[in-house]
Structure formats: structure tokens, C-alpha cells
Amino acid sequence: MGMRTGSKLNRLQRDLPEGLVVDANWLERRGYSSSLRSKYAAHGWLEQVARGVYRRPTASLPSPNDKDEPLRWQHVVISLQTVLERPFIVGGRTALELQGFAHYLGAGELREVHLYGNERPPAWVGKLKLETKFVFHNAKKLFKNEAPGHVGPGVERGGQQTSGTRSLGGGLVRQLWGQWEWPLTLSAPERAILELLDEVPQRETFHQADMLMEGLRTLSPKRLQKLLVECRSVKVKRLFLWFAERHNHAWLKQLNREAINLGTGKRMLQRGGKLDPKFAITVPENLDAGG
């Protein structure tokens, strides 16, 4: 009995990296019963961070006064993307922030992390004690060729990735995070700005979007072209091109606009604004004044 328990514990330590989280269903499917989970928690081999949610503590620390690293939103997302194999990606404003494009935008009192996927995250995600709030978006709303892929079972620490960010397909990139260099999958800037523009003007203002677009001088025309062709939102595509022309970005000349479907009819985006005749969208009268 003790040998089987030891074998299971060794397997858990192999399959669940230090600091990451899983739910009771994940453990149950692998033979870790409720009583065994309780035993592991009592011995400090597992930490229960919420009802039915467990985290593997970090290894013994150099000093008894040291404490385990607190649970952060990155632990949760990386756990979803890798160990739990749930295809969620970090997108929109959060992805732009992580890649250094939104540092000058004011953050709210409660930081939001924008997650994109084909289904809502597990309910327990919202019950974790974090300093952040997860905001979920349906990825299919903007791009029909979803779902975003997960990293795969298990976590490769670093792997063959030698730089901070590696490009993936579908407008996604992968960053390394934490002391173990875990892979965090997020939207590339070209995709993230389209995701953010979808939130204008309900959750993001024209002024904030304008500030972001002004700084996006190094976007990839090839990646942009593919995303704009695949994007399902006429509003987002028109708004993106309108901002791009406003800031006269060099990459704009390399886009094949004829291949981008901009639909027909007018789109009212700003109540009381002015109609832009080229893109048939209403925009603020004076954006430079913070409109």
C-alpha cells in the first residue's frame, strides 16, 4: 500500500509542476481519491487553494522564513493551457501590455486579464483569491478558425525556445514566464489590437485605442493581412483601417485591401459623433481632445 502511495506521489510530482493548479476532476481521473487528496494536503504535498482546486507547493526553500510564491494569474492560465489542456489564450489589452505596447495606458484599481476561448473557463477560476479579475471573451466572435491550440500535456520548461517570445500560427505567440520559464500563450500584437478594438466603445475608449494604434509602428503586414481577411467583424476591420490611416503607418501600404471584406452599410460607433465617409463609421468629432 505504501509503495503504491509513493508511486502515485512520484507520478503527481512528475505530472504537476510546482506552483501550478488542477481541479479535483483532474486528480480523480488519475486515481487520486478524495481521501488521498486530503492526505497529501495534510502532509503539505498539495495545497487546497479553493474548494476542489489544488496547487502543488514549491520545493523546500532555503530558509524557514521564506514563503511559497503566491498564486498569480499566470499560474492559473499556464495551468489551463498546459496541464489541464484547456485552449484559452491571453488576448486584447492584456496581451498588448505583456508585449510592452500598453504601458502608458492607465490601469484600473482591479487589474483585468482578458482570456479568449471557445467555452467559458471552469467556475473555480473565478473563486480563486487573486489580485486580478479574469474577463472572458468568445474567440469565435472574431475569428472562425478557432479553437486556439493548447501547449500540450505536461509543461516543457524552456524547451528549445531561446528568446523571450516565439511566434506561433494563428496570430499567437508564446512567452516564457517565471523562474521555470513556463510557456504562456497569448495573442500577437496584430491579433491583440483587433481584439481590443472589438471592445470600443463599450469597454475601451476611442482615445485609448488611438494611443495604442499610434505606437504600433512595427506590425507584420503578412500577419495583419491574414488576420484581417479572417476577421468576422466588419466594425473591427473598418475601425482598424481608419486608425491606421489616421497615423499613416508604413505597413498599411503593404496590405491588400481588396481581399478584406468591409461589408456594406453604416456603423454607428460613437453616439453624436461624425460620419467618416470612407469607412462609413461614426467617430468622435475631436479625437485629439480626448474624445
Side-chain angles (χ1 to χ4, degrees):
M1 179 67 178
M3 184 175 295
R4 289 200 300 270
T5 302
S7 176
K8 281 190 174 183
L9 181 58
N10 291 338
R11 180 156 51 89
L12 180 66
Q13 292 172 341
R14 183 183 68 243
D15 294 342
L16 180 58
E18 299 169 7
L20 298 191
V21 298
V22 292
D23 55 20
N25 288 334
W26 185 91
L27 291 164
E28 195 77 36
R29 290 196 304 271
R30 285 158 179 79
Y32 301 96
S33 64
S34 176
S35 59
L36 193 55
R37 298 194 296 269
S38 297
K39 176 183 177 181
Y40 285 4
H43 284 79
W45 300 326
L46 279 178
E47 174 192 1
Q48 187 167 355
V49 294
R51 183 179 177 85
V53 186
Y54 298 85
R55 182 189 190 199
R56 190 177 149 220
T58 54
S60 56
L61 298 163
S63 166
N65 295 323
D66 290 337
K67 296 181 179 180
D68 286 345
E69 181 181 10
L71 182 64
R72 305 183 189 278
W73 70 262
Q74 292 95 333
H75 291 118
V76 179
V77 175
I78 291 169
S79 299
L80 289 169
Q81 292 179 344
T82 58
V83 182
L84 294 168
E85 301 180 43
R86 303 290 291 270
F88 294 100
I89 58 172
V90 177
R93 172 190 279 265
T94 312
L96 291 168
E97 288 176 341
L98 292 176
Q99 293 169 88
F101 291 102
H103 59 278
Y104 48 82
L105 296 185
E109 292 184 6
L110 181 64
R111 178 185 172 91
E112 295 180 339
V113 174
H114 294 266
L115 281 184
Y116 288 76
N118 290 350
E119 58 184 31
R120 297 196 67 82
W124 56 259
V125 170
K127 299 176 182 178
L128 298 173
K129 294 181 179 179
L130 300 170
E131 295 181 355
T132 59
K133 174 186 176 183
F134 288 109
V135 179
F136 172 75
H137 305 266
N138 186 347
K140 288 183 178 179
K141 180 182 177 184
L142 281 184
F143 300 102
K144 57 187 176 182
N145 294 330
E146 295 303 325
H150 61 261
V151 176
V155 180
E156 288 188 23
R157 295 175 176 171
Q160 298 299 314
Q161 186 169 330
T162 56
S163 62
T165 302
R166 181 163 68 90
S167 177
L168 306 174
L172 305 179
V173 295
R174 185 168 296 157
Q175 284 187 346
L176 301 181
W177 180 83
Q179 65 171 334
W180 294 113
E181 297 189 331
W182 288 319
L184 178 67
T185 303
L186 58 151
S187 295
E190 295 82 1
R191 175 172 175 141
I193 187 60
L194 297 180
E195 292 166 341
L196 182 137
L197 291 176
D198 187 45
E199 302 298 305
V200 174
Q202 288 78 18
R203 293 182 61 94
E204 300 284 351
T205 68
F206 270 90
H207 180 63
Q208 289 170 326
D210 188 55
M211 292 175 65
L212 276 169
M213 283 295 298
E214 184 179 9
L216 297 177
R217 300 185 180 91
T218 59
L219 298 185
S220 162
K222 182 178 180 180
R223 185 182 285 160
L224 271 177
Q225 182 73 41
K226 188 173 188 300
L227 289 168
L228 288 168
V229 169
E230 293 178 351
C231 183
R232 307 174 80 165
S233 171
V234 167
K235 162 204 156 179
V236 167
K237 291 183 285 189
R238 291 187 192 181
L239 196 53
F240 176 82
L241 292 172
W242 182 80
F243 274 121
E245 286 197 354
R246 170 176 162 81
H247 295 292
N248 194 28
H249 285 308
W251 43 255
L252 184 60
K253 300 175 183 178
Q254 300 181 54
L255 297 180
N256 177 13
R257 299 203 197 183
E258 294 183 359
I260 302 170
N261 180 10
L262 297 180
T264 59
K266 301 174 182 178
R267 300 291 192 277
M268 188 184 77
L269 305 183
Q270 178 72 25
R271 192 173 297 276
K274 64 180 180 181
L275 179 69
D276 179 82
K278 181 173 183 178
F279 294 106
I281 55 176
T282 53
V283 296
E285 282 281 355
N286 189 356
L287 194 52
D288 292 320

